[in-house]
Structures are given as C-alpha cells and as structure tokens.
C-alpha cells in the first residue's frame, strides 16, 4: 500500500508539472502571435510593406520604388496649382512650400505667383533622387529634375511619416544652405512641417505595370533630350554587337529612326523575375522590342531588339517549336531587322549565292528594301510548307495592322543548327511593279 501511495503522488506531481508547462507554453504562443500581428499592422501602413530603414543621416540614392513615386507625385503638386484664383493659389503655395523658406523670404502674393506660375505650364522628368533619414519620422529628399525646355531644376522635399505631411523647398533655398548629396549628415537640419489642408500625402503603392511604363518613358525621354544617356543605358554586350561599341553608329541609327520614335508607346510587356534582377520585355505599337533588365529600381540596362542577343525566352520557345513554327519565328526576326533599319544584320542572313546574284553588296540590298517595302512592316502569313530540304513561306508585308494590302515576299529558308538559318526571297522586278 505504501508503494502504491508513492506511485500515485509521483503521477499527480508529473501531471501538475505538465499542466504548468502547457499553460506557460500556450501563454507564450499567444504573446508571440500578438507581436507578429502588431508588426504586420505597422508594415501595412508603410509603402510596399517595408519598415523605414535605419537612420543613417547622409544622402543615398533612393532605391525603394514606392518612396520614389511618392516624392515624384508631391513635386507634381507644384506643377498642378490652379492659378485661376490668385488667393487660392497663394494659399496652396504657402501650404506646400517649406515654412523655413517662406519665413526667410517673406514673399508677397504677387511674388509667389511670379515665382511659381511657370511650373503650371510645364512638366518634368526626374534625373536623380537622393534621401537622408534625419530621424525616425523625417526623410529629406534632394531631387534633380529636367523640364521640357531642356533646363534643369532642383527641389528638396521633406516628409513627416508620422502625420503624413510634406514641405517643398526650391533650388534657391538648397543653394543658399549648401545642400548637396555629399554633405555630412550632421549638417542636415531638422525641419518643422505644419499640418495644413494642402500638404497631406499618402505613400504610393506601385505596381509592376507602373514600373515598366516608367522605364519605357524614361528611355524615350533620354532619346530626345540626352542621347548620350540613352546610349549609356544600353547593355554593354549589346552595344558591342549592335553598334560596334560606337556612339556615332547609335546616333546615326536614332536619327534615321527619328520619325517613328516620336510616336512610340508601350503596348505589351512580359515580366521575368530572376535571382539577380527583373527582366521587362516590352513591345511598342510597331512590334519593336525593348528589353529592360533591372537589378534595382532605376538601375537598368536595355536591349533594343530580341535578335542581336537572343533572349532566354526566345531560345526556350524556339527549342520547343516544330520546324514550321521555327520558320515563322525566323521570319519575324528578319522583318524586325528591316523595321529597325538593321540592314546589315538582315543581309548576313541571306544565302551567299542569292546575294551574289541579286545584291552583291549591302548598299544594293538596303536600296531595294527601302524602295519596295515600308518603314514599318506588319506580317500577314500565307501558306508555309516544306519543299525538299527547305521551307517556303508566303507573307504579305503591310503598312499597318488593319489593312490587308501590301507587298508580297516569298521566303525560302533552310534551318541550321541551334537557332541559325539561311534564307532567300522572291525579288520584285519592274514587271512585278507594273
């Protein structure tokens, strides 16, 4: 009996210990879940689910896309002031301009209007944007912009993330107080932002569509306002292959292509995400490719076609395709070269005997294409079939997508190893034209 009592006491003690352990464990789990939920609530109130970075003080390039577009929209507020009512315009300006700047200058209504009305008749493009985290709730941005008249300007934008208010400081304030991206963080002042009706903001939530559109328009802007920058963003291997690494060849290409480039717009895009970056494969309304590869926001390189350096998507699709599908993919490569005025690349695809008999040199080929086809050719496929060891594909090259009228081209193609091929085509004569 004595031993039985001892056993019962031991069992009861074990049960008590287990119950205590389970109670403490469950209580710890509840606390952990509560902490996690608090963190999630904080993240939902910050752009892109990212908590503010640690406070460093010094200026660094903006890499978080949501912050970039937030500041861009805030600067846009200055460009969207309605000056129909002088009184209301001044009220808005005094709300969105920095308190310290206004106190230093004591601008009258007429002076405010005279200084800032010019922005209402203009638009801007961001060249550079840097940020300094002065303290937990205060971010200071230095932004260089380009105006449509090709002049540059600068603004400092201060954001208070606690009450979601902002202030804008113009270039003269930046220069007077020696604000530069290289300045020491200790020299950056803390700013007071008064909560007013017109200086509220919300952090942007940016989609991939917004990013790819911005890249496309950024390159288009560079084309017309800074061709050297447009050349600089090209992929280094692509520059060597396509333009022999020479900016003069690129400039000649752009100048020949100028009329069409002025009207380009983004129509389609595909996004591929890799471990070291994101690829945006874009097409304009002329079926031309623009392949952006971004390793971070606004840090991208560009290829202007998908044939000079074949994309992984193309090679994978080509490998899986049957021979007739491969022929059509190669036809598209050839026509894209014509549309891109890349006559040298197209000329290299031609059969040697065909070239000797019809186009002994590149100049003859270029002259023929320009005389018989359009600046931009849209492909309408006819019959495609295999005849002996070659494939024959009848196509019509039309001037636009809607019309079925154009000039025929019968392509004879021989597929080779990998993605290589050689081709010839029916040459139009004077009799054909009559």
């Amino acid at each position: 009996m004595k031993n039985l009592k001892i056993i019962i006491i031991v069992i009861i003690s074990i049960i008590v210990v287990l119950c205590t352990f389970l109670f403490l464990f469950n209580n710890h789990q509840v606390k952990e879940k509560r902490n996690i939920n608090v963190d999630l609530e904080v993240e939902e109130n910050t752009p892109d689910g990212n908590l503010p970075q640690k406070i460093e003080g010094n200026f660094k390039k903006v890499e978080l896309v949501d912050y970039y577009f937030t500041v861009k929209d805030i600067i846009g507020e200055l460009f969207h002031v309605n000056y129909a009512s002088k009184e209301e315009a001044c009220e808005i300006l005094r709300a969105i301009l920095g308190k310290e700047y206004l106190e230093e200058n004591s601008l009258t209504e007429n002076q405010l209007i005279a200084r800032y009305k010019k922005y209402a008749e203009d638009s801007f493009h961001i060249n550079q944007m840097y940020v300094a985290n002065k303290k937990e709730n205060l971010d200071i941005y230095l932004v260089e912009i380009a105006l449509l008249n090709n002049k540059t300007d600068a603004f400092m934008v201060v954001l208070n993330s606690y009450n979601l208010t902002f202030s804008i400081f113009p270039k003269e304030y930046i220069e007077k107080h020696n604000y530069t991206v290289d300045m020491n963080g200790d020299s950056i002042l803390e700013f007071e932002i008064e909560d007013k009706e017109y200086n509220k903001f919300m952090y942007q939530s940016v989609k991939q569509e917004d990013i790819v559109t911005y890249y496309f328009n950024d390159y288009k802007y560079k084309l017309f306002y800074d061709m050297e920058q447009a050349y600089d963003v090209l992929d280094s291997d692509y520059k060597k292959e396509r333009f022999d690494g020479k900016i003069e060849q690129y400039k000649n290409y752009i100048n020949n292509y100028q009329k069409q480039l002025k009207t380009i717009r983004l129509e389609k895009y595909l996004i591929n995400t890799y471990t070291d970056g994101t690829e945006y494969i874009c097409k304009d309304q002329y079926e031309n490719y623009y392949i952006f590869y971004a390793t971070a926001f606004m840090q991208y390189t560009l290829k202007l076609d998908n044939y000079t350096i074949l994309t992984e998507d193309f090679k994978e699709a080509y490998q899986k395709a049957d021979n007739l599908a491969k022929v059509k993919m190669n036809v598209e490569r050839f026509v894209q070269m014509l549309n891109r005025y890349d006559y040298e690349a197209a000329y290299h695809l031609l059969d040697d005997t065909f070239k000797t008999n019809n186009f002994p040199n590149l100049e003859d080929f270029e002259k023929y294409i320009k005389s018989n086809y359009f600046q931009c050719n849209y492909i309408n496929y006819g019959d495609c079939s295999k005849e002996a060891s070659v494939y024959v594909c009848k196509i019509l090259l039309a001037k636009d997508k809607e019309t079925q009228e154009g000039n025929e081209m019968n392509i004879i193609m021989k597929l080779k190893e990998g993605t290589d091929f050689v081709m010839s085509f029916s040459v139009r004569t004077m009799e054909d034209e009559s």
Side-chain angles (χ1 to χ4, degrees):
M1 274 303 278
K2 187 176 181 180
N3 290 337
L4 181 62
K5 287 182 179 178
I6 292 172
I7 291 170
I8 292 171
I9 291 170
V10 169
I11 291 172
I12 291 172
S13 299
I14 292 171
I15 291 172
V16 170
V17 170
L18 286 173
C19 289
T20 303
F21 174 78
L22 288 172
F23 173 79
L24 292 172
F25 177 78
N26 287 334
N27 191 44
H28 177 68
Q29 287 283 75
V30 170
K31 287 181 179 178
E32 276 194 344
K33 287 181 180 178
R34 284 174 182 167
N35 287 338
I36 291 170
N37 285 334
V38 168
D39 288 343
L40 286 174
E41 287 174 8
V42 172
E43 290 183 357
E44 287 169 0
N45 285 301
T46 56
D48 212 23
N50 293 311
L51 293 172
Q53 297 178 334
K54 67 178 182 178
I55 300 168
E56 296 180 355
N58 299 323
F59 282 103
K60 57 185 180 295
K61 207 162 192 177
V62 175
E63 294 182 352
L64 293 177
V65 59
D66 291 350
Y67 287 88
Y68 186 96
F69 278 89
T70 298
V71 173
K72 177 177 177 290
D73 285 354
I74 287 172
I75 293 174
E77 293 289 327
L78 197 60
F79 286 72
H80 298 144
V81 176
N82 187 343
Y83 290 88
S85 167
K86 179 179 176 181
E87 183 179 340
E88 184 179 355
C90 288
E91 183 183 357
I92 294 171
L93 290 172
R94 293 189 189 282
I96 66 178
L97 292 171
K99 172 186 173 184
E100 292 80 0
Y101 162 73
L102 292 172
E103 288 177 349
E104 279 185 7
N105 293 276
S106 302
L107 299 175
T108 64
E109 285 190 351
N110 289 336
Q111 289 172 326
L112 271 175
I113 299 295
R115 170 66 180 85
Y116 293 100
K117 190 175 181 178
K118 63 180 181 181
Y119 294 119
E121 301 165 359
D122 210 337
S123 60
F124 69 95
H125 177 85
I126 292 178
N127 288 338
Q128 300 286 348
M129 186 185 294
Y130 293 84
V131 62
N133 308 115
K134 184 60 182 175
K135 59 181 182 179
E136 188 178 357
N137 68 312
L138 201 67
D139 296 328
I140 300 168
Y141 293 81
L142 287 181
V143 187
E144 180 192 284
I145 68 169
L147 303 169
L148 283 187
N149 60 13
N150 215 21
K151 292 182 179 179
T152 59
D153 205 339
F155 294 101
M156 183 167 69
V157 178
V158 182
L159 302 187
N160 186 320
S161 59
Y162 279 177
N163 61 7
L164 298 177
T165 55
F166 70 86
S167 291
I168 301 174
F169 294 81
K171 186 175 183 178
E172 55 263 34
Y173 183 91
I174 297 171
E175 292 178 344
K176 179 179 178 181
H177 294 275
N178 300 315
Y179 274 86
T180 69
V181 296
D182 299 319
M183 71 189 298
N184 187 289
D186 295 335
S187 303
I188 302 173
L189 300 175
E190 293 187 13
F191 294 88
E192 293 183 15
I193 306 178
E194 296 180 356
D195 190 340
K196 296 185 178 181
E197 181 180 355
Y198 297 104
N199 69 335
K200 300 282 193 179
F201 76 94
M202 292 294 293
Y203 284 108
Q204 297 294 313
S205 179
V206 180
K207 300 176 182 177
Q208 289 282 24
E209 181 180 354
D210 301 316
I211 296 173
V212 67
T213 301
Y214 195 74
Y215 287 164
F216 187 86
N217 290 334
D218 182 70
Y219 174 67
K220 186 177 177 180
Y221 174 87
K222 287 179 171 65
L223 275 177
F224 296 107
Y225 295 101
D226 196 333
M227 204 178 291
E228 290 189 7
Q229 274 196 34
Y231 178 76
D232 286 342
V233 301
L234 296 182
D235 176 84
S236 56
D237 292 333
Y238 180 84
K239 280 191 279 196
K240 293 175 186 176
E241 290 289 329
R242 180 68 174 84
F243 304 108
D244 292 330
K246 299 174 182 176
I247 191 171
E248 292 77 18
Q249 289 194 23
Y250 173 74
K251 288 182 176 180
N252 288 336
Y253 161 72
I254 295 299
N255 289 332
N256 290 332
Y257 197 38
Q258 194 81 222
K259 184 178 179 181
Q260 193 179 103
L261 284 172
K262 287 182 178 178
T263 62
I264 60 171
R265 63 178 183 276
L266 178 62
E267 285 215 337
K268 302 175 186 175
Y269 66 88
L270 173 70
I271 300 174
N272 295 317
T273 303
Y274 302 101
T275 53
D276 61 346
T278 305
E279 180 183 60
Y280 303 90
I281 302 176
C282 306
K283 266 188 176 183
D284 64 21
Q285 74 271 33
Y286 303 113
E287 302 292 323
N288 292 319
Y289 283 86
Y290 307 81
I291 303 169
F292 297 88
Y293 197 91
T295 54
F297 180 64
M298 290 309 292
Q299 296 179 34
Y300 68 81
T301 57
L302 173 65
K303 300 170 188 171
L304 296 174
D305 58 69
N306 70 338
Y307 62 80
T308 299
I309 300 175
L310 295 177
T311 65
E312 292 303 317
D313 276 357
F314 181 92
K315 288 188 281 190
E316 184 179 345
Y318 194 89
Q319 186 178 13
K320 293 178 179 177
D322 60 38
N323 284 348
L324 282 176
K326 287 178 180 178
V327 169
K328 289 186 176 181
M329 293 173 76
N330 292 334
V331 169
E332 289 176 6
R333 287 161 70 183
F334 177 71
V335 174
Q336 188 185 161
M337 292 171 189
L338 303 186
N339 290 346
R340 285 291 198 183
Y341 306 100
D342 194 358
Y343 300 112
E344 185 174 356
Y347 188 69
H348 285 318
L349 298 175
L350 302 180
D351 174 78
D352 287 339
T353 303
F354 174 75
K355 283 193 286 191
T356 301
N357 293 337
N358 295 277
F359 310 111
N361 55 61
L362 176 60
E363 290 72 22
D364 291 336
F365 173 69
E366 182 177 341
K367 183 179 178 181
Y368 173 82
I369 294 298
K370 287 181 176 179
S371 300
N372 288 275
Y373 298 99
F374 306 107
Q375 286 187 332
C376 181
N377 300 275
Y378 295 89
I379 307 171
N380 291 315
Y381 286 99
D383 294 332
C384 290
S385 60
K386 185 176 183 181
E387 297 183 10
S389 62
V390 299
Y391 292 86
V392 179
C393 193
K394 297 179 179 180
I395 64 172
L396 180 100
L397 295 182
K399 190 175 183 178
D400 54 59
K401 293 180 181 179
E402 289 72 30
T403 183
Q404 296 297 314
E405 297 180 3
N407 295 324
E408 293 181 353
M409 177 184 279
N410 295 332
I411 292 178
I412 300 95
M413 184 180 297
K414 184 175 183 178
L415 299 178
K416 300 176 76 174
E417 290 296 319
T419 56
D420 292 337
F421 66 96
V422 65
M423 61 170 280
S424 58
F425 58 86
S426 54
V427 177
R428 293 166 59 83
T429 65
M430 295 295 291
E431 292 179 2
D432 295 330
E433 295 174 5
S434 60

